[in-house]
Amino acid sequence: MSWRADILTLFPDMFPGPLGFSLAGRALERGIWSCEAHNLRQHGLGRHRAVDDTPFGGGAGMVMRADVLGTALSALPALDGRPVVYPTPRGKRMSHEDAERLSSGPGVVVLCGRFEGVDERVLEKHDIEQLCMGDVVLSGGEIPALTLLDACVRLLPGVMGSDVSGQDESFAEGLLEYPQYTKPAVWDGRDVPDILLSGNHGAIARWRHEQSIAVTKARRPDLWDAYLARQQVH
């Protein structure tokens, strides 16, 4: 059975979008995963298919209605153990571990919010997992949904060209990835580090690990602290 993604959105034409190309697109064609977007307007109210209303307590903007979203969720095919995820700045920051966890299951349902967000009651009733893609606010949940799906799909068996392709990537071991180089060996007066041309694979592995440490310390001290804490536990 393929890994299944159902997306609840006001803009179903945005899917699969960029995921219809490259590795994810070829995996989609091969049936490794499937993607179906469901238009929330189908469950909207009244002549204009309204999906939102003004917030109780006042304030700017509109809030997506719990009754509309609840109906949309109930109309989905059987979840079969798939979690429902709501991308939101209020959520836990998504990690590589989250992508591994979600990709190892049967799939995911993604609820794409708009406006000021969604009624809290629908999140509570359906035990919806809230994940944040970064400390920024976007116009809606569609772009974060594409990010989430891409992070998961590329980890599915048979998607990447090699089973070890993801082992040295950023976050895989808790560190950022080391710098990468390719031909030409000299470009614009800049040389590839000699160690990478040495053929000494042990030395290359040590250099790459040292570079990962240096980059992580400089750019993501939060990741470095977490990495050190894990090393002390083990």
Side-chain angles (χ1 to χ4, degrees):
M1 181 179 295
S2 66
W3 193 85
R4 178 184 175 93
D6 284 284
I7 302 97
L8 296 172
T9 172
L10 292 173
F11 301 98
D13 290 343
M14 292 181 69
F15 297 88
L19 299 183
F21 299 88
S22 190
L23 293 176
R26 290 194 290 272
L28 192 63
E29 293 174 355
R30 291 162 54 198
I32 293 176
W33 73 292
S34 64
C35 176
E36 185 172 357
H38 307 267
N39 194 337
L40 287 167
R41 290 286 179 197
Q42 295 177 343
H43 307 285
L45 306 175
R47 184 178 62 179
H48 298 293
R49 296 289 184 182
V51 300
D52 59 327
D53 213 320
T54 55
F56 283 123
M62 306 288 278
V63 177
M64 299 183 76
R65 296 175 58 119
D67 51 358
V68 171
L69 298 179
T71 300
L73 284 165
S74 298
L76 287 175
L79 296 184
D80 294 328
R82 292 180 298 151
V84 182
V85 177
Y86 171 52
T88 169
R90 296 177 60 229
K92 178 183 83 71
R93 181 180 291 183
M94 184 174 175
S95 66
H96 183 72
E97 288 77 12
D98 290 316
E100 290 180 323
R101 169 175 57 86
L102 294 172
S103 66
S104 67
V108 68
V109 174
V110 186
L111 170 60
C112 298
R114 281 273 159 175
F115 318 120
E116 294 301 312
V118 308
D119 191 305
E120 189 73 15
R121 292 169 293 181
V122 75
L123 301 176
E124 295 170 350
K125 176 179 178 179
H126 293 275
D127 193 25
I128 295 175
E129 181 176 358
Q130 301 180 55
L131 291 176
C132 175
M133 301 299 119
D135 295 340
V136 294
V137 177
L138 302 177
S139 300
E142 286 76 18
I143 291 176
L146 290 167
T147 301
L148 183 154
L149 293 178
D150 187 43
C152 293
V153 167
R154 63 192 303 278
L155 297 178
L156 298 176
V159 174
M160 287 194 280
S162 168
D163 290 338
V164 299
S165 294
Q167 291 182 4
D168 291 335
E169 294 178 327
S170 292
F171 311 118
E173 298 297 330
L175 297 173
L176 298 181
E177 189 176 12
Y178 48 79
Q180 298 278 12
Y181 299 87
T182 187
K183 296 176 182 178
V186 179
W187 173 78
D188 199 24
R190 299 170 183 265
D191 297 333
V192 171
D194 290 338
I195 187 66
L196 298 180
L197 307 177
S198 69
N200 187 331
H201 296 295
I204 291 171
R206 288 191 294 273
W207 179 87
R208 286 175 167 171
H209 184 64
E210 291 167 357
Q211 291 294 308
S212 288
I213 288 175
V215 171
T216 305
K217 282 183 176 180
R219 300 179 186 176
R220 290 291 303 274
D222 58 321
L223 285 180
W224 175 244
D225 290 342
Y227 176 79
L228 287 179
R230 284 195 296 272
Q231 297 305 305
Q232 292 172 358
V233 170
H234 297 304

